[in-house]
């Protein structure tokens, strides 16, 4: 897969075929209900992890409720709002409408900023995002296979990937955080203390679970356990979309894998760009 798959919408890169720019441009006009929840991520920052946690919280930790839906994947139950056909389905879907999105702030309905609906923003340290995204480009048939790690490194810094610039994504969402019902959480916090993260998410969503139910949510959303659940690990996603023989969607699930990939020069260059881009944003990340 070596075609050029990106298509811009108002300066933001989408994936040709997966997204229809005209349709994505209409997402802005959707009516939001108070019960709507959007999980917002830059790609490779913990989207499918959050899908699993939200589904388990809805089911109060009862995994059998999820496995009964055996032919439905987590992505069918908590779909990407921007994928073709999904905006239309959202309009008439029953509450609660749980959705994930990789879109920048300006494409979502402005009523979110009048505190309608809820937003969970998951951020991951961008060095690990870059590495995870590099491997995903090898597996995902709708994305261009990277020429080399070096080449992808530069593309990522230039924002020439689906999702455009990581910096723009996190900055624009973060800048509007106080206007929305928004929970800002990082991938690294979830790695460090998953139980605490799940409790924060439950509290934010107003879900009351017993300690046992909470334990079940945590147990079934660890990396090793999610990997065993085909609906959660994307193992059942069509071979037309993912070349499963080239790698797993749930690849490594750790903090600091960038250290195994970045050269010293690349790391210095990344740090310079990060400092420059984030100078007005008091966000600190756990890097290893
Ligand atoms: S996507 O394509 O944007 O939807 O990808 P996304 O789900 O956001 O990110 C994929 C990375 O998240 C890791 N992952 C997890 N890490 C830890 N614990 C759990 N439970 C978990 N579930 C998914 C997944 O392995 C990808 O990261 P890497 O570093 O490539 O392993």
């Amino acid at each position: 897969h070596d075609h050029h798959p990106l298509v811009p919408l108002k300066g933001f890169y989408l994936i040709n075929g997966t997204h229809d720019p005209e349709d994505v441009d209409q997402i802005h006009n959707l009516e939001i209900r108070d019960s709507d929840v959007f999980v917002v991520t830059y790609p490779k920052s913990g989207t499918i992890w959050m899908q699993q946690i939200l589904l388990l919280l809805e089911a109060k930790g009862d995994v059998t409720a999820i496995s009964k839906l055996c032919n439905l994947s987590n992505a069918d139950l908590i779909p990407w709002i921007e994928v073709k056909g999904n905006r239309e389905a959202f309009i008439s879907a029953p509450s609660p409408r749980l959705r994930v999105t990789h879109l920048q702030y300006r494409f979502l309905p402005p009523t979110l900023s009048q505190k309608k609906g809820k937003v969970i923003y998951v951020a991951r340290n961008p060095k690990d995002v870059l590495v995870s995204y590099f491997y995903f480009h090898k597996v995902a048939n709708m994305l261009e296979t990277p020429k080399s790690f070096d080449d992808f490194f530069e593309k990522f810094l230039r924002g020439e990937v689906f999702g455009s610039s990581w910096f723009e994504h996190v900055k624009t969402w973060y800048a509007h955080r106080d206007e929305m019902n928004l929970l800002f959480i990082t991938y690294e916090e979830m790695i460090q203390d998953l139980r605490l993260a799940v409790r924060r998410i439950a509290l934010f969503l107003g879900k009351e679970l017993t300690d046992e139910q909470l334990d079940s949510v945590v147990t079934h959303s660890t990396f090793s356990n999610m990997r065993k659940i085909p609906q959660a690990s994307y193992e059942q996603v069509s071979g037309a979309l993912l070349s499963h023989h080239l790698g797993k969607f749930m690849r490594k699930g750790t903090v600091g894998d960038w250290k195994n990939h970045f050269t010293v020069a690349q790391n210095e260059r990344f740090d310079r760009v990060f400092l420059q881009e984030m100078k007005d944003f008091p966000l600190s990340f756990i890097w290893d």
Side-chain angles (χ1 to χ4, degrees), residues 55 68 124-125 129 184 213 222 231 252 259 269:
L55 286 172
K68 275 193 205 118
R124 184 179 188 184
N125 93 54
V129 169
F184 187 92
Q213 290 170 335
T222 62
Q231 293 96 325
K252 205 162 177 187
K259 290 187 168 173
R269 174 152 149 64

Side-chain angles (χ1 to χ4, degrees), residues 31-94:
E31 239 173 80
I32 296 299
R33 304 175 192 157
D34 285 325
S35 55
D36 292 340
V37 180
F38 288 94
V39 171
V40 181
T41 53
Y42 186 84
K44 314 323 286 181
S45 302
T47 325
I48 76 155
W49 197 359
M50 208 49 105
Q51 280 173 337
Q52 176 75 349
I53 292 170
L54 293 203
L55 286 172
L56 286 167
L57 283 175
E58 278 298 314
K60 297 216 184 288
D62 180 4
V63 270
T64 59
I66 293 179
S67 53
K68 275 193 205 118
L69 303 158
C70 53
N71 54 344
L72 289 174
S73 75
N74 286 5
D76 297 321
L77 299 168
I78 308 192
W80 274 266
I81 188 80
E82 63 268 30
V83 166
K84 242 185 215 173
N86 290 354
R87 184 190 61 89
E88 196 62 36
F90 178 82
I91 297 171
S92 53

Side-chain angles (χ1 to χ4, degrees), residues 107-149:
F107 296 109
L108 271 287
T111 42
L112 288 176
S113 287
Q114 293 153 23
K115 299 210 190 275
K116 277 191 87 69
K118 289 183 176 171
V119 175
I120 300 175
Y121 190 95
V122 192
R124 184 179 188 184
N125 93 54
K127 295 181 186 177
D128 284 333
V129 169
L130 188 158
V131 170
S132 179
Y133 216 0
F134 168 71
Y135 284 102
F136 187 62
H137 274 71
K138 297 185 175 200
V139 176
N141 296 334
M142 59 284 192
L143 300 174
E144 192 177 28
T145 304
K147 284 189 196 67
S148 63
F149 184 76

Side-chain angles (χ1 to χ4, degrees), residues 6-49:
L6 300 179
V7 53
L9 167 65
K10 298 174 172 165
F12 180 81
Y13 280 123
L14 298 167
I15 305 171
N16 202 5
T18 304
H19 308 115
D20 171 357
E22 275 178 32
D23 201 52
V24 171
D25 205 23
Q26 293 300 315
I27 287 174
H28 199 253
N29 299 320
L30 286 171
E31 239 173 80
I32 296 299
R33 304 175 192 157
D34 285 325
S35 55
D36 292 340
V37 180
F38 288 94
V39 171
V40 181
T41 53
Y42 186 84
K44 314 323 286 181
S45 302
T47 325
I48 76 155
W49 197 359

Side-chain angles (χ1 to χ4, degrees), residues 162-174:
F162 165 48
S164 292
S165 156
W166 178 90
F167 302 99
E168 283 307 307
H169 200 279
V170 69
K171 284 194 288 188
T172 46
W173 278 101
Y174 193 77

